Amino acid sequence: MKILRHLTISLLGLAAAGLLIGSARADCPPGDLNGDCRVDPLDVQILAGQWLQPSSEDRSQAECADLDGVDGVNMVDMALMARAWGQTGVPLFINEIMASNKSVIRDPQGEYDDWIEIYNAGAESINVAGMYLTDDLGRPTKWRIPATVRGATFVPAKGYLLVWVDGSPADPGLHASFKLDAGGEEIALFDKNGEALIHSVIFPEQTADLSYGCYPDGCSDPRFLSAPTPGAQNDGAYLGEVEAPRFSRERGFYDEPFSVTLATETEGATIYYTLDGSRPFEVTGRFPTGLTYVGPLRVTRTTCLRARAVKPGWKPSAIVTHTYLLNADDALKSLPVVSLVGDARQTFYEPDGIMAIVGGTYGADGKWVSDGPESYNNPMQRGMAYERPVSFELLDPWDNSGLQVDCGIRVHGSNYMRPRYHRSDGFWSGNSKFSLRLYFRGRYGPNWLDYPLFPFEVERFKAIVLRGGHNDRINPFIKDELNRRLHKDMGQVDSGGSMANVLINGEYKGYFNPCEHIKDSFCQQWYNSD
């Protein structure tokens, strides 16, 4: 108590001497140790309790009194607190965000939209109506929190407010005019004048159904949270994120067998891998999926290798997918290759894939046996409920260049074509040649595909179609593409594409016509419009 009284008197004396006059600030001032956005005797009490404690590498806690991070808690930290004495700020924090909401919580419209949680660390309720949220610090007034949503804009003391970030501001409730990018970005909360920054968060690439935010609430060191808690106290955080595995061989074409070495820079992490298209280290039963990596893997045939690194208490790494094409013939090398890799039973085929047959079971030989006349369920369905995660790779046979991105996949086809799809094993032809559609969403990977996929000026895509060419099934399979390009040559906007060979989990399915999917995002890119 003597130390506390001594420090209090010293600080009050410095303030009274006119060394620092209190001022209003939009962000919480340095020296605010208890998270209420004030520098007052409560913070002095915390500093006194830590007096002469040594420096610690973990300074993430809000109550860390080692303000300069040097030589522990001493007179320098007391002087820094004195300089901020009496300062106050707005005790609001962007406390938790989810940029890839797949199944955690629905908005009032029943949709799994991304969200931002605002936390009030103060002792009084705060009305945020008129404040601004943005994902572009160059445009601080991008979306103004409306005052027309009666009673929905007050954040209670030590309480929370959810804002849906779905680009649908006309929907009832609090819906921001922009969307979050699961690939990572910076978001910020500005005061009602549109100039004073209250709080901002830079978040890295996100994983579906995992949130990112402050732990504990209102701290200055956001991290991945072990369980999303929208509208409630953040409970538990990962110690870090495991670095993704690195492969000693790049994806692409090879003429001779070789060995692949996997490694991660995270010390103490274990690598799991699969060769059947399934996602490694998916905990759905007693044991996680995949095999534990213990040494170099020998590749002697076309192989789809997927790997993920994990460590207890840490966020598992992203899954990395490499397709290796061995001894490909000239026909396969005559075009770029699209390699689609995913769980055979969950992404593509029975029982839950996009091309699943109604009713049946797996036989002793591992093949699906239907219960009756062959009919199909999922190819007839539309919408998000019938979209599945998949790895999409584009491989150039001339120099092994290309890309890999995780995205969503659906069956593509008209109401006329869908009932006529008839899947066969191996090479697809006729009605057994499924057209497919790829969607680039934050729940899988990046929100957009930024890549010069086609030889046109637009290089940013929200969705593409892998056309099976049912209007032009036989060689040369160019009629539709030729007509679209002629239309472009006449100065019009049209869906352009290219040609590619398609493999599913390493199995050749035929040659396809990848092209742009005509939808809102297509028009926005070509017409430079929102």
Side-chain angles (χ1 to χ4, degrees):
M1 291 300 297
K2 290 183 178 180
I3 294 176
L4 175 59
R5 285 196 299 270
H6 175 73
L7 291 175
T8 304
I9 292 170
S10 300
L11 288 169
L12 291 174
L14 288 170
L19 293 178
L20 201 287
I21 299 175
S23 60
R25 298 171 48 139
D27 55 344
C28 293
D32 168 38
L33 301 183
N34 66 343
D36 62 358
C37 268
R38 302 171 183 270
V39 181
D40 56 23
L42 294 176
D43 303 299
V44 176
Q45 187 173 1
I46 294 173
L47 183 144
Q50 299 179 28
W51 186 250
L52 299 182
Q53 286 185 5
S55 296
S56 172
E57 293 184 1
D58 182 12
R59 304 183 65 250
S60 61
Q61 299 298 318
E63 295 186 351
C64 180
D66 186 9
L67 300 178
D68 63 350
V70 179
D71 297 332
V73 181
N74 53 31
M75 289 296 295
V76 175
D77 303 297
M78 184 179 72
L80 291 173
M81 181 175 287
R83 291 179 59 187
W85 188 258
Q87 290 185 5
T88 62
V90 180
L92 295 177
F93 297 85
I94 298 173
N95 198 54
E96 187 176 4
I97 64 100
M98 178 166 279
S100 182
N101 180 18
K102 186 177 180 181
S103 60
V104 171
I105 184 175
R106 296 178 187 267
D107 69 3
Q109 289 70 43
E111 298 175 345
Y112 287 107
D113 287 322
D114 299 340
W115 46 269
I116 292 173
E117 177 193 84
I118 298 174
Y119 170 63
N120 176 9
E124 298 177 356
S125 176
I126 298 176
N127 187 2
V128 299
M131 296 182 183
Y132 296 90
L133 276 172
T134 183
D135 62 347
D136 181 357
L137 268 69
R139 297 174 59 192
T141 60
K142 190 169 185 178
W143 179 68
R144 190 172 193 176
I145 301 175
T148 55
V149 186
R150 185 181 300 275
T153 57
F154 283 86
V155 192
K158 308 299 181 184
Y160 311 86
L161 178 71
L162 277 187
V163 176
W164 302 101
V165 193
D166 55 4
S168 302
D171 286 352
L174 294 179
H175 294 262
S177 61
F178 57 92
K179 297 182 178 181
L180 296 179
D181 184 353
E185 59 178 338
E186 184 171 10
I187 51 177
L189 176 66
F190 281 85
D191 212 343
K192 298 177 182 180
N193 57 14
E195 298 177 355
L197 175 64
I198 296 175
H199 191 231
S200 66
V201 172
I202 299 175
F203 64 87
E205 183 176 353
Q206 301 293 291
T207 301
D209 288 349
L210 282 180
S211 62
Y212 185 84
C214 304
Y215 181 74
D217 291 340
C219 78
S220 59
D221 183 27
R223 59 183 70 186
F224 287 101
L225 303 176
S226 56
T229 57
Q233 179 179 350
N234 292 346
D235 182 18
Y238 287 112
L239 298 174
E241 183 176 10
V242 181
E243 289 291 329
R246 294 187 178 183
F247 292 50
S248 62
R249 293 272 188 161
E250 292 300 320
R251 59 179 63 86
F253 292 81
Y254 291 87
D255 295 327
E256 300 289 341
F258 56 90
S259 295
V260 180
T261 300
L262 306 179
T264 175
E265 294 184 358
T266 302
E267 185 177 354
T270 300
I271 297 175
Y272 286 79
Y273 71 93
T274 61
L275 301 172
D276 61 358
S278 62
R279 294 167 57 86
F281 202 76
E282 290 288 293
V283 184
T284 57
R286 292 181 59 190
F287 304 102
T289 56
L291 302 171
T292 304
Y293 175 78
V294 294
L297 304 174
R298 189 70 176 165
V299 177
T300 59
R301 57 185 177 84
T302 293
T303 300
C304 300
L305 177 60
R306 312 190 80 183
R308 169 188 268 178
V310 300
K311 183 178 181 179
W314 290 55
K315 178 181 179 288
S317 78
I319 295 174
V320 184
T321 305
H322 277 46
T323 295
Y324 299 112
L325 301 166
L326 256 67
N327 301 317
D329 58 24
D330 292 339
L332 190 61
K333 289 182 176 180
S334 65
L335 292 171
V337 166
V338 169
S339 175
L340 302 175
V341 180
D343 191 306
R345 301 188 179 194
Q346 300 297 321
T347 293
F348 298 116
Y349 310 126
E350 295 73 32
D352 297 320
I354 59 173
M355 297 175 279
I357 300 172
V358 172
T361 185
Y362 282 97
D365 59 358
K367 293 186 177 180
W368 182 263
V369 180
S370 63
D371 288 339
E374 220 173 34
S375 59
Y376 293 87
N377 178 16
N378 287 356
M380 292 295 297
Q381 310 302 324
R382 299 175 182 271
M384 285 295 298
Y386 293 90
E387 182 175 308
R388 301 291 184 266
V390 72
S391 166
F392 163 62
E393 292 171 274
L394 180 68
L395 307 172
D396 192 322
W398 292 278
D399 59 6
N400 273 353
S401 62
L403 79 153
Q404 186 278 328
V405 63
D406 291 327
C407 56
I409 187 170
R410 297 186 196 177
V411 169
H412 175 81
S414 65
N415 290 336
Y416 172 85
M417 193 63 224
R418 287 176 182 252
R420 290 166 172 79
Y421 278 136
H422 175 87
R423 199 183 75 245
S424 62
D425 292 331
F427 179 78
W428 288 353
S429 63
N431 286 352
S432 72
K433 192 177 187 182
F434 278 72
S435 292
L436 303 168
R437 195 183 305 158
L438 302 179
Y439 288 91
F440 303 96
R441 308 184 192 279
R443 65 176 58 189
Y444 309 112
N447 272 324
W448 291 81
L449 175 63
D450 287 296
Y451 188 83
L453 197 60
F454 309 115
F456 312 113
E457 54 266 41
V458 167
E459 298 182 351
R460 194 166 186 254
F461 311 95
K462 192 67 176 175
I464 63 171
V465 175
L466 303 178
R467 286 189 60 252
H470 297 111
N471 297 329
D472 185 19
R473 291 179 176 175
I474 60 175
N475 286 330
F477 186 53
I478 63 171
K479 291 180 183 177
D480 277 30
E481 183 61 35
L482 177 60
N483 277 302
R484 292 196 301 268
R485 293 201 182 195
L486 287 173
H487 196 219
K488 284 179 178 290
D489 289 345
M490 291 188 288
Q492 307 303 315
V493 168
D494 207 335
S495 168
S498 59
M499 298 294 172
N501 286 311
V502 171
L503 281 73
I504 290 182
N505 286 345
E507 184 178 43
Y508 180 66
K509 294 301 179 185
Y511 61 103
F512 284 69
N513 174 207
C515 58
E516 299 171 272
H517 184 212
I518 299 178
K519 57 181 301 183
D520 290 357
S521 57
F522 166 88
C523 295
Q524 290 163 356
Q525 292 301 302
W526 276 100
Y527 290 103
N528 191 28
S529 168
D530 59 4

